[in-house]
Amino acid sequence: MIALIYINDALLNIYENKKQMLSFVVFLTLSFIGIIITDSLIFSVSKKAEEELKTYGDNIISINIYKQKNINEVVPALSSVYKTLSYSKTSIFNGGQTPYADESVSVTGIDSLGLSINKINIDNIPFKGNVAIVSEDSPYLHNRIVFLDGIPFKIISIIPKIKTDFLDSLGLSKYQSDNQIFVPLSTLFRFTLSNNIDNVKVVLNGKVNENDINVIRKVLCEKKILDYNIVTALDARTAVDNVLNRFSLLTNTIYIMLTLFSAVICIVLCRRTFSSRSTEFALKIIHGIKQNAIILVVIIESIITLVICLLSSLIASYFIMLWMSHLLSTDIKIRSVMIFLSLSCVLIVFLLSNVLLGRLFFRINPIYLIKGRQQ
């Protein structure tokens, strides 16, 4: 009941001093908007870059073997640890749009699981024999056929183009050849007269972690396979983190400056509150109202003001980010952690300022406060 009385008094005081409060609400709201927008842009851009840098999903480990190994050497080693494996092999052929074309064409043989990993849909067409899958912009797509060493391969589907809007805007997009061609792995084995492979993809049930990578390294080392490279979603995250770490000084300075700006506004607001309302507070002291009760009401007013500023800044930031998301063609997400930390710092400064300035203010004789205001 007493708490409701204090809150009611605080709301009444805010209404009576609304003109004074308005300017501080505007400044605090703007500073909160700056913090939210800055942090959300950095966070969203990092997530977008990480997403576009990922070659495959979060649950896939891609092992590139530099010196091709026979599939019968690799299968027993990895299948003893992981059940879901996909193999592939890349070879160079002479081919093109006619049987006599002699362009050098890179052809990758993949298995059925490789189709789903690369998000390729073949509409229940058997993936075997002389069939091929080409890129969306392939010059062979028009005739629905491609010749490899003079032998025709029927094109049954396309390789979806990787969407890299953000990296494209920076000129850092991943290279995806228009001449990329996939054929059944068994067909490539038959053409090359070799069962050697140069890539294995391990599909996990959950997200990749360092322990999975260490297990694979141990297995490959036992099989004397030393020339290889492991690619996972962790590499994309590491690359983005490295970039952010390079700019950490700049970003942290921006956060600190915006938070300090908000804290300074809070201190000024507290000081001005006690200064402009000195007569009101002095009369309350003379009429027997305790100092702590007055300070408590002022603290409640501060908290209500902060809540109003936060809600206003969130609403304004939402519409600003909605506009920026449309402008940049990317999703912009609010990271609650940074907002919470910044708001906590501002709240602590606000509370300490009210308590300290209140104590200093009430050391002065109430009579002097009233006389000072009248003069």
Side-chain angles (χ1 to χ4, degrees), residues 238-301:
T238 301
V240 172
D241 289 342
N242 288 337
V243 173
L244 290 179
N245 289 335
R246 295 283 184 179
F247 292 95
S248 60
L249 180 60
L250 174 62
T251 54
N252 290 339
T253 302
I254 293 173
Y255 294 147
I256 293 171
M257 288 182 65
L258 289 172
T259 304
L260 284 176
F261 180 66
S262 301
V264 169
I265 292 174
C266 292
I267 295 172
V268 173
L269 172 60
C270 295
R271 186 173 181 179
R272 188 169 177 180
T273 297
F274 285 103
S275 177
S276 61
R277 297 167 63 185
S278 58
T279 302
E280 172 193 341
F281 293 154
L283 290 174
K284 287 182 178 181
I285 292 294
I286 291 173
H287 285 84
I289 299 177
K290 294 183 179 180
Q291 298 177 6
N292 292 337
I294 297 173
I295 294 175
L296 181 59
V297 172
V298 173
I299 290 174
I300 295 173
E301 292 175 20

Side-chain angles (χ1 to χ4, degrees), residues 5 61 68 84 92 108 139 147 171 230 238 272 311 341:
I5 294 174
I61 301 174
Q68 293 186 357
T84 309
I92 304 298
T108 301
F147 291 88
I230 295 177
T238 301
R272 188 169 177 180
L311 292 176
L341 288 175

Side-chain angles (χ1 to χ4, degrees), residues 96-98 132 134 139-147 151-155:
Q97 301 183 45
T98 69
V134 299
Y140 317 121
L141 192 58
H142 177 70
N143 296 326
R144 306 297 298 183
I145 193 169
V146 58
F147 291 88
I151 299 175
F153 279 71
K154 182 182 177 181
I155 297 174

